[in-house]
C-alpha cells in the first residue's frame, strides 16, 4: 500500500478543522501516499481558518470539564505506584496553572493493600510541598479504599508542586524481616490525584502544557492534528513539535497519537500547520481558546513560518525559569532520578528528596535513583563509595546488617554490631561501578534490624534505625564514550541520535497512523532523554548505510531482513514467530485490567509461546564456556539477565527494539523498533516509553514480552563512538574502562611494556657509569 | 642521549599504564601473573637481561600498589582522625617506596671487579697505616698492629702508626689522678708495644675532633702517598695492600679504595639468635651489594676503616672532615664533591670485632644514625655542588635510610589503632586488599629475595629495623633538635658476657610485645564475636600477628646469651708442629683466635697418657707461602677430644709477650682466603619459605627464652681481654732450646710428605735465628 516512490501529493485536502476519522486498523499510508485522509479538530465551534472541512466526523470526546470537579491523576515516575515493605516513600511532581493552584483542592488517594498488611497499624502520610496533610490508616485488604486529604488554601503553587507519600506498614501476625516482603500497598492511579475545584484550568502560557493532566496511567498524551495528509515536510515539523511538547510537559512518558486515537482520555491536542486554530492573543503559537480538550496550536502558513514558530516556542521553553514550590521544583528535577554530571560528585541523600527517617520496623529499604550519562562506560576502573550517616539501636540480633544493592544486584553488605547502639557511619561501603549503567540506576540501602523479641512479636515499637539525609554517595569521575549498539545509551540520553556531526534519520517504511504514532512517541521520548529536540530527518525510503544514525520504526514484515540480521536476529525466526495467528486479534493499546493497571507498569499481551521453554536461560545459552574458570578473562561474560539474540523474539516477545550497524562507522547505528503489525507497534511504543520499561533497555536488542524485557547482550559487537571533546583524563578513563573489561588484554599490555622497559633499562644501565669487570 | 630518550619514553608509557585505574579482577590477574613470572625468572641463570626483566616486572605491581594507595585508600575528609593517621601511614609507606626506588637505581648493576695483577715493588706508593685507638685493650691492638706489620708490602714503603687518643697529654694530665695514671701507663705500654713491632706510636696534646682529629694528627706527622685506616679492632689480612693499592696508580683522581668490614664475632642479635655461623651478617647487604652498586656510579664511600685514601686528595679538603660524628662518610662526601673518585673492592681483607652487647650495639647504631643525619642537615647532598646526580641520590639514600625507625614504628602501631580504637586509617574492600596488598607483599618479598637473598634472610631486615627503631627514634629526635650536639662515642667492643641475661634495654620490647599480643587477642575476639566487624579486622589482625612475630623474635635478640668464646675464632686451614710432653707432632690448625687455637692430629697408641689438660707446649706454625717464619708460640692444652683415630685439642695462648702476636697474627691473618671462605660459607640463600618458617619459630619460641632470662639475676659485663681475665698465666713455659727443638722436629716420624714440609730447613733456620734475638730470650727467661 505504501508506495516506494516519492509521489508527494500537491493537494492539501483538508484545511478545515474537523475530528479525525475512526480509522480501520489496516496499515494505510497518510504521508502523502495512499488514500486521502482529513484531520479535524475536536470542537467544531473552533472557527475554521481554511477551506471547507472534509472527511468524516467522530463523536466528540468527553470534555474534561464535564467531569468537574476533575481528578487530576499523578504523572508517571520511575518509582512506580507500589509501596513495599515496612517503610516506603515516593515523590511526584504536580504542575498546576495559576487557576488550578488557587482553586480549592483535595488530595484523593485510592489504594489496595496486601492481605498481610495490618490496616490499623499501617498508615500513609501525605506531604504536599513538604507540609504534612495528615495520615490515614491503610485499606482493608479486600477492596480499594479511598482517603481524601484537604489541601490548605495557599499551599499549592502555580508551577511545580511536590507530593510525597510515606507508607508505613505492619504485618498482621509475623514480625520477622522475611515477612516484610509480603507487605505492599498499591495506589490506584485512575482514582488517585488532586481533585481540583476549578471549573476551568486556565491554560495560558506555553509553560502551562506541564499542567495538563496526564492519563490515568500517568502518561502524557499528545494528539497530533496536522491537517489532512501529512506531507513529509509536515511530518518533519510534527517531529519537532511533539518533541517540544514532551519537553514542555516535563513528562517521562509522552504518548503521541494521531487523530482520534485515545481521544477519550485526557490529552493535549497539538494542532499544527495551516489548519490549526489561531492561538489566543494572536501569537504565533500557544493555547487556542477551547473549552474542552486543551489545544496547543502552532499555525504557520508555510514551512518557514512554522519553523520560525517552532524555533521560537522551543527558545521560550528553554528560557523559561522553573516556577512553583521549592519542593515541587526539586521533585520535577528528580522525576527520573538524580541526574549526575559524570564528574566526581558527592550526592547527599537530601538532594535526592530523602528527608531522613527514624525507623521502628525490621527491614528498611530506601532506593536512590541516579541517572548516569548516556555515554557512561560501566566497568570497575573506579568505585562508588557510600558513607552512611545515622545510627542503630542496641539489642538487635546478630543478623542485623545493612545491604546495598545496585540495580537489584547485591553490591555490599555491612554487618551491624547489634549488641549495643552505634553509628552507621563506621566504615565506608564500596559499590562496584560496573553494576551501574547509563541512564537510570537504583542504589538501594536495605537495613535489616531484627530484635530477638520479634520472634514473638513482642518487641516495642522503639526506633531501631535512624538514617540521616546527610548520608553521602560519592561518585567518581566516569569514563565517557558512546557505545553502539547499546540500548542503555539510547534510553539514557538518546545516543546515538545526539551526535553533533551527523543528523539523525527517522525511517518509517510504512507510514500508517499507528506506525507514525509509534514513531513520534519514540521520537518524543528520545527528546526527553536528550533534554532537547532532536533534528530528525524523515524518510520512507531506506537510507544509505552511512547517512547517519537511523531510527527505523516499522512492522517486521516491512523491514529489510538484512537489517534484522544485523541486529543479530534470524529474519526467518522473526517471521515465524510473528506470523499472524488465526483468530488472534491485533494487540490493543496497553490499557490493562485492574490488577495490571494497579501494578503501575505497562505490559503487552503475550505473543506465541516460546518453542523451547527455558531456552532463554543465559547460563544454558552460554554453555560450557561460561562454566570454565576465568572464562570471563577471555570473552566478555554473558551479562546477567541477557539471552542470545536468536532467543529474544522466539521466546514470545511481541515487540523489539534493537541496534546494529551497516557501516564501518559506529556513528551510523541503526535503531529498529518493530512488532508483528502496526497496532501492536503503537501499543509497544507506548509501552517502551513507560519509565519501568524504558529504564530497563540495555544491550543490543530488547524484546518486550508481557511486562518483561528480554535483553540481548551487546557483547563483543559493541563499538565505541566519541562523544566528548578531547580530554586526557577522559581518554585515560575510557582506556581504563576498556582494560578493566578485558583483564587479559591488560596483562598482555603490561607484559609488553615490561619487556620494552626492561631492555631499555638494560641498554641504558650497561652503557652508563662504570662497566663490569 | 638516545638511550635516555628511549628509556624515558618507555618509562613514561609505563607510568601512564600503571596509573590506569583498573578493575580488581584485572589487578588480581596481573598480580598473579607477575608473581608467577617472578618465580620463573628467579629460577633462570642470573644474567643482566633476566635481572632487568625481573626487576621491571616486579616494579609494575609495586607501582600499581602505590598508585592505588595514593588514590583509593585514604579515609575521607569527613573522618579527620582517620585521615590524619592514614596520611601518616601513607607517608611511612611512601618513604619505604622511596628507599626501595633509590636502592633499585643504586643497585641497578652492582660492580664485580676483577683482581689486580701484582705490581712490582718499586712501582708501589709509600703507605702509612693509621690505627686510631682510644680505649681498646692492648691485646686487641697488638693483634692489629702485628697484622698490619705483617701485610705483604715492601717494608721500606710501609709505616704503621698507632694513633693513640687514650694517651694524649690531656688524658695523662687528667684531674682525676687515677685516670691520669691509667693514661700514662697506657701510653708507656703502647709505646713499648710499638717498639717491639716496629710501629710508630703517636699521640697528641688534646682530644680534639675525636677520630677525625686523631687521623688528621697522623696525617700531619706522616708522609706516605697512601693512607690506610684500620680501626683498632680491624686487623688486615696479609694480602690487603696487594689487592687494593694498585688502583691508585691506575686512576689519578681516585681518593678512596674501600673494602668490606667483616667480623669475627657475632653482633648481639646474631649471638642471641645463634645465626652467626650460618646467616649472612647484617652488614653484608651493604658491603655485598650496596657498596658494589655505588661503585658503579662512583659513589662508594668511606666507612671509617679497611680503606685506603690518597694523601693528596685528603690535603685538598684539609684532611679528614670532623664536623659530624661520622667523619668517614663526611670525608668521602667532601671529596666526591671536590671531583675525586672512589672505588670499592668487594673482597674481605680485614677481620674485625663488633659490639657484643645489645647496649653497645645500639650505641654504635645511634652514632651512625645521628652522624648521617648531621651530614644531611648540615651539608645537604641535595644542594651540594660538585656531586653528580646519582652520587647526590646515593648520599641522600644513605642518609635518609636512617629514617627507618619512624616507618617501622608506624607499621607497628597503625593496625592497633583499628583494633583498639576503631580508627580506620586504610579504606579498602577485602577483595581490593587482596588484589593489591597481597600482590605487593608477595612481589616485594620475591624482589628482596632476588636482590638480597644471598646476603639477607627473609624478615631479618624487619627485625633489625625494629630492634634499632625503638631507640634510634629517640636519637633521631635529638639530632633533629640539635644537629651539632651529638658527640663521638667510641663503641665498646671486646666485652664478655658471663651469664644468660636480659639486656638492660629489653623492657620496651616486652612492653611492645604485650601490647601487640593484646592487639592480636582483641582482633581475634572482635572478628569472631563482634557482628559489625568485617574482614578488615581479619587483615589487620594478620598484620598485627606479623608484627607480633617480629616483636617475639626481637625479644630473643635482647635476651643476651652467655658468651662462651672470649676471643672470636676464625676457621683456618694451616699446618703446625706441636711440641707437648717432650714430643713434637705435625698438627692441622682448624681455627684460631687471639686467645688460642684448635688443632687436630692423628693419635698414636701410647699417646693417651701424655695428653693432659693443663700441660704446656710450643706450637710452631708453618707460615703461609712467602711469609717469614715466626718463633713457636707457647701454648697450654685446654681440652682434648678424641674422635676415632684423631685427637682434637684446644690450645690456649694465655698471656703472651707481645712478640708472639706476630706468629698468632700470621696464623690468623696470613691468608685472606680464611675469612673469604667463612663469608662465602654463609652466603647461601635460605629461601623464602624456609626463612619465613625459621622466623616464625623465633617469633614463637624466643619470647619464652626471654621470659626465662627475666627471672635470672642481673649479670656483670666484663672485658674479655683484660689482664685479670685473660686466662691463666703460663707459669711453666719451658725455656726454649732452639737446637733441641729443631732436632726433635727432625726426628719426627714417619717422614710423610707433610712432615717433610714441616722440617723445611729454611723455615727453622729463620725461626731459630729469631729465637736467639735478645728480647725473646729475655722474655722467655722471665717466664
Amino acid at each position: 500500500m505504501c508506495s516506494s516512490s516519492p509521489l508527494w501529493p500537491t493537494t492539501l485536502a483538508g484545511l478545515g478543522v474537523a475530528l479525525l476519522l475512526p480509522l480501520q486498523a489496516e496499515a494505510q499510508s497518510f504521508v502523502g501516499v495512499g488514500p486521502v485522509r482529513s484531520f479535524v479538530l475536536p470542537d467544531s465551534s473552533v472557527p475554521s481558518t481554511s477551506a471547507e472541512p472534509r472527511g468524516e466526523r467522530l463523536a466528540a470526546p468527553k470534555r474534561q470539564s464535564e467531569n468537574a470537579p476533575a481528578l487530576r491523576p499523578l504523572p508517571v515516575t520511575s518509582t512506580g505506584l507500589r509501596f513495599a515493605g515496612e517503610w516506603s516513600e515516593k515523590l511526584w511532581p504536580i504542575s498546576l496553572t495559576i487557576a488550578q493552584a488557587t482553586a480549592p483542592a483535595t488530595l484523593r488517594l485510592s489504594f489496595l493493600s496486601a492481605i498481610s498488611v495490618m490496616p490499623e497499624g499501617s498508615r500513609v502520610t501525605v506531604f504536599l510541598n513538604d507540609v504534612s496533610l495528615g495520615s490515614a490508616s491503610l485499606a482493608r485488604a479486600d477492596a480499594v479504599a479511598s482517603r481524601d486529604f484537604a489541601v490548605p488554601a495557599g499551599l499549592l503553587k502555580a508551577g511545580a508542586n511536590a507530593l510525597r507519600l510515606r507508607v508505613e506498614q505492619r504485618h498482621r501476625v509475623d514480625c520477622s524481616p522475611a515477612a516484610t516482603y509480603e507487605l505492599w500497598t498499591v495506589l490506584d492511579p485512575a482514582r488517585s490525584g488532586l481533585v481540583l475545584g476549578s471549573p476551568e484550568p486556565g491554560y495560558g502560557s506555553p509553560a502551562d502544557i506541564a499542567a495538563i493532566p496526564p492519563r490515568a496511567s500517568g502518561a502524557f498524551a499528545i494528539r497530533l492534528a496536522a491537517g489532512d495528509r501529512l506531507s513529509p515536510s509536515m511530518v518533519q515539523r510534527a517531529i519537532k513539535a511533539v518533541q517540544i511538547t514532551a519537553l514542555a510537559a516535563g513528562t517521562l512518558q509522552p504518548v503521541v497519537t494521531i487523530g482520534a486515537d485515545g481521544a477519550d482520555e485526557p490529552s493535549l491536542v497539538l494542532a499544527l500547520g495551516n489548519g490549526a486554530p489561531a492561538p489566543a492573543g494572536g501569537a504565533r503559537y500557544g493555547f487556542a481558546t477551547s473549552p474542552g480538550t486543551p489545544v496547543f496550536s502552532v499555525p504557520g502558513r508555510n514551512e518557514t513560518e512554522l519553523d520560525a514558530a517552532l524555533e521560537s516556542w522551543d527558545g521560550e521553553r528553554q528560557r523559561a525559569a522553573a516556577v512553583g514550590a521549592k519542593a515541587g521544583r526539586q521533585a520535577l528535577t528528580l522525576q527520573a532520578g538524580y541526574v549526575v554530571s559524570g564528574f566526581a560528585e558527592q550526592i547527599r541523600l537530601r538532594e535526592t528528596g530523602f528527608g531522613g527517617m527514624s525507623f521502628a520496623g525490621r527491614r528498611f529499604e530506601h532506593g536512590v535513583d541516579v541517572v548516569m550519562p548516556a555515554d557512561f562506560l560501566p566497568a570497575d576502573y573506579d568505585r562508588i563509595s557510600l558513607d552512611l550517616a545515622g545510627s542503630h539501636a542496641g539489642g538487635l540480633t546478630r543478623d542485623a546488617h545493612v545491604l546495598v544493592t545496585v540495580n537489584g544486584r547485591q553490591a555490599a553488605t555491612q554487618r551491624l554490631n547489634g549488641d549495643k547502639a552505634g553509628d552507621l557511619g563506621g566504615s565506608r561501603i564500596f559499590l562496584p561501578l560496573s553494576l551501574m549503567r547509563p541512564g537510570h540506576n537504583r542504589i538501594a540501602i536495605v537495613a535489616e534490624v531484627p530484635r530477638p523479641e520479634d520472634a514473638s512479636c513482642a518487641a516495642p515499637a522503639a526506633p531501631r534505625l535512624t538514617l540521616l539525609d546527610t548520608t553521602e554517595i560519592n561518585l567518581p569521575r566516569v569514563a565517557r564514550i558512546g557505545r553502539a549498539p547499546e540500548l542503555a545509551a539510547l534510553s539514557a540520553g538518546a545516543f546515538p541520535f545526539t551526535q553533533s556531526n551527523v543528523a539523525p534519520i527517522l525511517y518509517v517504511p510504512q507510514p500508517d497512523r499507528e506506525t507514525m504514532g509509534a514513531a513520534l512517541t519514540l521520537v518524543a521520548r528520545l527528546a526527553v532523554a536528550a533534554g532537547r529536540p532532536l533534528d530528525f530527518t524523515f524518510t520512507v525510503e531506506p537510507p544509505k548505510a552511512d547517512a547517519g544514525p537511523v531510527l527505523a520504526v516499522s512492522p517486521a514484515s516491512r523491514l529489510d531482513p538484512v537489517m534484522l540480521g544485523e541486529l543479530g536476529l534470524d529474519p526467518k525466526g522473526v517471521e515465524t514467530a510473528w506470523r499472524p495467528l488465526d483468530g488472534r486479534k491485533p494487540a490493543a493499546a496497553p490499557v490493562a485490567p485492574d490488577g495490571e493497571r494497579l501494578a503501575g507498569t505497562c505490559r503487552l499481551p503475550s505473543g506465541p509461546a516460546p518453542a523451547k521453554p527455558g531456552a532463554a536461560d543465559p547460563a544454558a545459552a552460554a554453555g560450557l564456556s561460561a562454566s570454565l574458570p576465568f572464562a570471563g578473562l577471555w570473552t566478555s561474560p554473558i551479562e546477567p539477565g541477557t539471552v542470545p539474540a536468536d532467543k529474544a523474539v522466539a521466546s514470545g516477545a511481541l515487540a523489539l527494539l534493537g541496534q546494529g550497524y551497516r557501516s564501518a562507522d559506529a556513528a551510523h547505528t541503526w535503531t529498529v523498533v518493530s512488532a508483528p503489525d502496526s497496532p501492536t507497534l503503537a501499543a509497544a511504543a507506548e509501552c517502551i516509553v513507560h519509565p519501568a520499561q524504558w529504564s530497563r533497555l540495555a544491550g543490543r536488542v530488547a524484546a518486550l514480552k508481557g511486562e518483561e524485557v528480554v535483553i540481548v547482550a551487546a557483547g563483543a559487537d559493541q563499538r565505541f563512538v566519541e562523544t566528548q571533546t578531547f580530554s586526557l583524563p577522559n581518554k585515560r578513563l575510557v582506556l581504563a574502562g576498556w582494560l578493566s573489561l578485558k583483564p587479559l588484554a591488560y596483562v598482555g599490555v603490561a607484559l609488553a611494556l615490561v619487556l620494552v622497559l626492561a631492555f631499555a633499562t638494560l641498554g641504558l644501565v650497561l652503557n652508563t657509569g662504570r662497566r663490569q669487570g | 642521549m638516545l638511550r635516555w630518550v628511549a628509556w624515558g619514553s618507555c618509562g613514561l608509557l609505563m607510568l601512564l599504564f600503571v596509573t590506569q585505574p583498573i578493575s580488581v579482577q584485572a589487578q588480581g590477574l596481573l598480580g598473579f601473573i607477575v608473581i608467577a613470572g617472578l618465580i620463573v625468572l628467579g629460577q633462570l641463570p642470573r644474567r643482566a637481561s633476566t635481572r632487568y626483566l625481573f626487576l621491571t616486572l616486579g616494579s609494575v605491581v609495586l607501582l600499581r600498589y602505590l598508585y592505588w594507595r595514593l588514590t583509593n585508600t585514604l579515609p575521607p575528609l569527613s573522618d579527620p582522625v582517620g585521615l590524619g593517621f592514614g596520611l601518616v601511614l601513607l607517608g611511612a609507606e611512601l618513604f619505604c617506596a622511596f628507599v626501595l626506588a633509590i636502592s633499585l637505581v643504586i643497585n641497578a648493576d652492582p660492580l664485580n671487579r676483577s683482581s689486580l695483577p701484582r705490581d712490582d715493588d718499586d712501582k708501589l706508593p709509600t703507605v702509612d697505616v693509621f690505627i686510631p685507638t682510644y680505649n681498646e685493650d692492648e691485646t686487641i691492638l697488638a693483634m692489629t698492629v702485628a697484622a698490619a706489620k705483617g701485610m705483604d708490602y715492601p717494608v721500606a714503603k710501609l709505616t704503621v702508626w698507632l694513633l693513640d687518643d687514650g694517651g694524649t697529654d690531656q688524658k695523662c694530665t687528667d684531674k682525676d689522678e687515677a685516670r691520669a695514671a691509667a693514661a700514662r701507663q697506657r701510653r708507656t705500654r703502647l709505646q713499648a708495644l710499638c717498639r717491639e713491632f716496629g710501629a710508630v706510636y703517636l699521640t697528641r696534646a688534646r682530644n680534639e675532633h675525636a677520630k677525625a682529629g686523631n687521623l688528621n694528627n697522623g696525617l700531619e706527622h706522616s708522609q706516605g702517598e697512601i693512607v690506610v685506616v684500620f680501626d683498632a679492632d680491624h686487623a688486615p689480612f696479609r694480602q690487603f695492600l696487594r689487592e687494593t693499592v694498585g688502583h691508585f696508580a691506575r686512576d689519578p683522581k681516585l681518593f678512596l679504595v674501600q673494602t668490606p668490614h667483616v667480623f669475627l664475632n657475632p653482633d648481639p642479635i646474631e649471638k642471641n639468635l645463634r645465626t652467626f655461623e650460618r646467616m649472612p651478617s647484617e652488614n653484608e647487604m651493604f658491603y655485598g651489594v650496596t657498596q658494589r652498586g655505588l661503585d658503579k656510579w662512583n659513589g662508594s664511600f668511606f666507612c671509617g676503616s679497611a680503606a685506603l685514601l690518597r694523601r693528596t686528595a685528603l690535603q685538598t679538603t684539609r684532611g679528614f672532615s670532623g664536623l659530624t660524628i661520622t667523619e668517614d662518610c663526611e670525608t668521602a662526601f667532601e671529596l666526591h664533591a671536590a671531583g675525586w673518585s672512589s672505588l670499592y673492592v668487594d673482597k674481605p681483607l680485614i677481620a674485625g670485632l663488633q659490639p657484643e652487647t645489645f647496649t653497645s650495639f645500639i650505641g654504635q647504631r645511634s652514632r651512625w644514625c645521628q652522624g648521617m643525619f648531621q651530614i644531611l642537615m648540615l651539608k645537604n647532598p641535595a644542594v651540594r655542588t660538585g656531586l653528580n646526580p646519582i652520587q647526590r641520590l646515593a648520599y641522600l639514600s644513605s642518609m635518609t635510610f636512617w629514617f627507618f625507625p619512624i616507618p617501622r614504628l608506624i607499621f607497628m602501631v597503625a593496625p592497633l589503632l583499628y583494633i583498639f580504637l576503631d580508627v580506620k586509617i586504610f579504606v579498602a574492600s577485602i577483595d581490593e586488599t587482596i588484589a593489591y596488598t597481597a600482590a605487593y607483599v608477595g612481589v616485594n618479598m620475591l624482589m628482596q629475595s632476588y636482590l638480597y637473598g644471598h646476603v639477607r634472610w627473609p624478615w631479618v631486615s624487619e627485625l633489625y629495623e625494629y630492634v634499632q627503631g625503638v631507640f634510634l627514634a629517640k636519637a633521631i629526635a635529638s639530632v633533629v633538635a640539635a644537629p651539632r650536639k651529638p658527640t663521638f662515642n667510641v663503641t665498646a667492643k671486646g666485652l664478655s658476657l658471663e651469664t644468660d641475661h636480659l639486656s638492660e634495654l629489653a623492657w620496651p620490647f616486652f612492653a611492645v610485645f604485650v601490647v601487640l599480643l593484646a592487639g592480636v587477642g582483641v582482633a581475634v575476639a572482635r572478628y569472631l564475636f563482634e557482628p559489625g566487624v568485617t574482614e578488615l579486622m581479619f587483615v589487620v589482625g594478620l598484620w598485627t600477628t606479623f608484627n607480633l612475630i617480629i616483636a617475639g623474635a626481637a625479644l630473643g635478640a635482647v635476651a643476651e646469651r652467655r658468651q662462651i668464646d672470649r676471643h672470636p675464632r676464625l676457621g683456618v686451614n694451616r699446618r703446625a708442629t706441636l711440641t707437648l710432653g717432650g714430643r713434637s707432632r705435625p698438627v692441622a690448625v682448624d681455627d684460631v683466635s687471639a686467645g688460642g687455637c684448635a688443632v687436630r692430629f692423628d693419635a698414636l697408641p701410647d699417646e693417651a697418657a701424655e695428653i693432659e689438660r693443663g700441660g704446656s707446649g710450643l706450637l710452631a706454625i708453618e707460615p703461609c707461602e712467602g711469609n717469614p717464619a715466626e718463633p713457636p708460640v707457647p701454648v697450654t692444652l685446654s681440652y682434648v677430644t678424641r674422635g676415632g683415630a684423631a685427637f682434637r685439642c684446644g690450645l690456649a695462648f694465655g698471656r703472651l709477650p707481645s712478640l708472639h702476636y706476630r706468629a698468632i697474627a700470621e696464623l690468623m691473618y696470613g691468608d685472606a682466603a680464611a675469612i673469604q671462605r667463612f663469608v662465602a660459607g654463609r652466603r647461601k640463600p635460605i629461601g623464602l619459605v624456609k626463612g619465613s618458617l625459621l622466623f616464625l619459630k623465633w617469633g614463637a619460641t624466643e619470647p619464652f627464652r626471654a621470659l626465662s632470662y627475666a627471672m635470672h639475676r642481673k649479670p656483670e659485663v666484663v672485658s674479655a681481654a683484660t689482664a685479670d681475665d685473660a686466662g691463666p698465666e703460663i707459669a711453666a713455659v719451658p725455656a726454649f732450646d732452639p737446637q733441641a727443638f729443631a732436632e726433635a722436629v727432625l726426628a719426627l716420624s714417619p717422614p710423610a710428605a707433610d712432615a717433610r714440609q714441616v722440617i723445611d730447613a729454611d723455615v727453622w733456620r729463620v725461626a731459630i735465628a729469631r729465637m736467639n734475638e735478645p728480647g725473646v730470650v729475655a722474655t722467655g727467661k722471665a717466664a
Side-chain angles (χ1 to χ4, degrees), chain A residues 421-498:
Chain A
D423 249 9
L424 283 182
S427 60
R428 199 156 237 223
I429 296 174
F430 295 114
L431 313 173
L433 195 57
S434 58
L435 291 185
M436 301 288 279
R437 28 164 289 155
H440 178 265
N441 294 271
R442 167 158 283 215
I443 299 173
I445 302 166
V446 182
E448 284 199 12
V449 282
R451 283 197 159 141
E453 310 92 275
D454 289 344
S456 56
C457 277
R464 302 180 184 193
L465 180 83
T466 305
L467 186 67
L468 301 177
D469 60 358
T470 49
T471 292
E472 279 177 9
I473 298 171
N474 291 290
L475 287 158
R477 176 174 182 162
V478 297
R480 306 281 298 272
I481 190 141
R483 286 173 299 144
E486 179 53 72
L487 293 176
L490 176 86
S491 72
F495 183 82
F497 302 112
T498 45

Side-chain angles (χ1 to χ4, degrees), chain A residues 165-178:
Chain A
L165 300 184
R166 178 183 300 164
V167 170
E168 289 157 286
Q169 304 178 103
R170 295 283 173 275
H171 201 284
R172 281 175 189 279
V173 286
D174 190 346
C175 298
S176 68

Side-chain angles (χ1 to χ4, degrees), chain B residues 461-479:
Chain B
S461 292
E462 281 76 7
L463 175 64
Y464 271 88
E465 286 185 5
Y466 167 61
V467 296
Q468 295 175 75
V470 170
F471 299 98
L472 292 197
K474 214 168 71 180
I476 293 173
S478 73
V479 73

Side-chain angles (χ1 to χ4, degrees), chain A residues 381 383 732 765 770 772, chain B residues 19 67 72 109 295 342 432:
Chain A
Y381 48 87
R383 62 202 178 172
R732 176 173 161 268
V765 172
R770 291 175 177 159
Q772 294 288 350
Chain B
T19 54
Y67 172 74
N72 271 32
D109 187 24
D295 195 15
S342 68
E432 283 179 329

Side-chain angles (χ1 to χ4, degrees), chain A residues 374-391:
Chain A
D375 54 358
F376 156 58
L377 176 64
D380 283 321
Y381 48 87
D382 211 330
R383 62 202 178 172
I384 300 168
S385 59
L386 175 65
D387 291 324
L388 293 177
S391 57

Side-chain angles (χ1 to χ4, degrees), chain B residues 526-559:
Chain B
R526 288 190 66 184
Y527 183 70
L528 291 180
F529 303 114
E530 194 176 314
V533 166
T534 58
E535 291 87 346
L536 185 61
M537 186 60 81
F538 181 77
V539 174
V540 168
L542 268 185
W543 181 2
T544 309
T545 307
F546 169 68
N547 284 340
L548 184 69
I549 293 167
I550 297 182
L555 282 182
V558 296

Side-chain angles (χ1 to χ4, degrees), chain A residues 256-273:
Chain A
V256 182
T257 54
I258 293 171
D261 285 359
D264 53 345
E265 285 212 73
S267 60
L268 168 71
V269 173
L270 180 61
L272 216 55

Side-chain angles (χ1 to χ4, degrees), chain A residues 380-381 383 398 415-417 426 428 430 732 736 740 746 750 754 756 761-763 765 767-768 770 772-773, chain B residues 3 7 19-23 52 60 64 67 72 76 109-110 112 114 295-296 298 342 424 427 432 529 531-532:
Chain A
D380 283 321
Y381 48 87
R383 62 202 178 172
R398 293 181 60 84
R415 292 173 68 198
L416 300 176
N417 182 4
R428 199 156 237 223
F430 295 114
R732 176 173 161 268
S740 296
Y746 176 73
V754 163
V756 175
T761 312
L762 181 72
V765 172
N767 292 288
T768 320
R770 291 175 177 159
Q772 294 288 350
Chain B
R3 287 198 180 92
W7 185 81
T19 54
Q20 278 293 315
I22 202 74
S23 67
Y52 290 105
V60 175
R64 285 286 308 148
Y67 172 74
N72 271 32
D109 187 24
N112 288 310
S114 40
D295 195 15
K296 159 99 180 165
N298 181 20
S342 68
K424 291 177 188 66
V427 182
E432 283 179 329
F529 303 114

